[in-house]
């Protein structure tokens, strides 16, 4: 399974926001500078997290993004599905019933074995992501990471971007 690069971005940004003090926010510009990402495209991805109820956004000079609920209540699956959707990446097109090798209809009454295996794999992937929350990820970081993240994020908006 190959996910878009934006999936990595939102997972890291959500984890970063989970490291902030309660009530604190970070702007799309701060997060983009922190990770050296294109701010306009990142902002669109963050808005998808807002629409999904993962993040909350505030406007104004002290505005930005924050988690919409406690990090322990936000799973990795919720973050991924907010930007990538919930549909399976595998779609069986029943090619077993086409071409010279087509099986007779009576042999295709049951779900295609390969489609079933792929569905099982997708379900396992979803269960694994649903089992871990942002709080679990933050808890697995080195103990100094949250303070370092908060410090660097605060200065990220003013740091010059590296040339592309």
């Amino acid at each position: 399974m190959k996910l878009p690069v934006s999936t990595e971005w939102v997972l890291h940004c959500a984890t970063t926001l989970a490291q902030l003090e309660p009530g604190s926010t970070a702007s799309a510009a701060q997060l983009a500078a922190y990770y050296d990402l294109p701010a306009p495209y990142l902002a669109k991805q963050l808005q998808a997290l807002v629409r999904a109820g993962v993040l909350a956004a505030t406007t104004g000079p002290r505005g930005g993004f924050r988690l919409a609920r406690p990090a322990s209540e936000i799973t990795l699956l919720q973050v991924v599905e907010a930007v990538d959707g919930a549909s399976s990446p595998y779609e069986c097109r029943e090619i077993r019933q086409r071409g010279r090798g087509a099986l007779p209809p009576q042999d295709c009454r049951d779900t295609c074995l390969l489609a079933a295996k792929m569905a099982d794999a997708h379900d396992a992937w979803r269960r694994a992501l649903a089992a871990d929350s942002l709080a679990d990820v933050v808890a697995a970081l080195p103990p100094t990471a949250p303070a370092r993240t908060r410090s660097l994020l605060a200065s990220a908006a003013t740091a010059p971007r590296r040339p592309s």
Side-chain angles (χ1 to χ4, degrees):
M1 173 182 311
K2 184 172 173 92
L3 296 170
V5 67
S6 58
T7 305
E8 177 187 9
W9 298 359
V10 296
L11 284 166
H12 279 281
C13 287
T15 301
T16 298
L17 293 171
Q19 295 174 67
L20 298 180
E21 296 293 341
S24 296
T25 62
S27 69
Q30 284 174 297
L31 291 166
Y34 187 80
Y35 288 113
D36 195 22
L37 301 172
Y41 188 65
L42 177 62
K44 289 179 185 178
Q45 301 305 312
L46 295 173
Q47 285 300 327
L49 293 178
V50 171
R51 286 189 299 278
V54 172
L55 299 183
T58 55
T59 57
R62 305 193 116 229
F65 297 92
R66 62 175 171 73
L67 299 182
R69 50 190 192 276
S72 61
E73 296 176 15
I74 300 172
T75 68
L76 298 181
L77 181 63
Q78 291 167 330
V79 175
V80 170
E81 287 187 345
V83 294
D84 295 323
S87 64
S88 174
Y90 183 82
E91 182 180 339
C92 180
R93 300 186 192 282
E94 282 293 341
I95 67 168
R96 66 186 176 156
Q97 297 181 53
R98 300 187 340 217
R100 292 184 66 189
L103 294 172
Q106 65 269 20
D107 290 349
C108 297
R109 288 187 190 127
D110 293 330
T111 300
C112 170
L113 179 60
L114 295 174
K117 294 294 183 185
M118 295 302 286
D120 289 347
H122 182 65
D123 290 343
W125 179 78
R126 288 173 45 87
R127 280 191 306 276
L129 291 177
D132 286 312
S133 70
L134 290 176
D136 296 329
V137 174
V138 171
L141 296 173
T144 57
R148 179 183 180 276
T149 296
R150 289 189 295 272
S151 173
L152 291 173
L153 192 60
S155 63
T158 59
R161 286 181 54 95
R162 292 191 329 243
S164 301

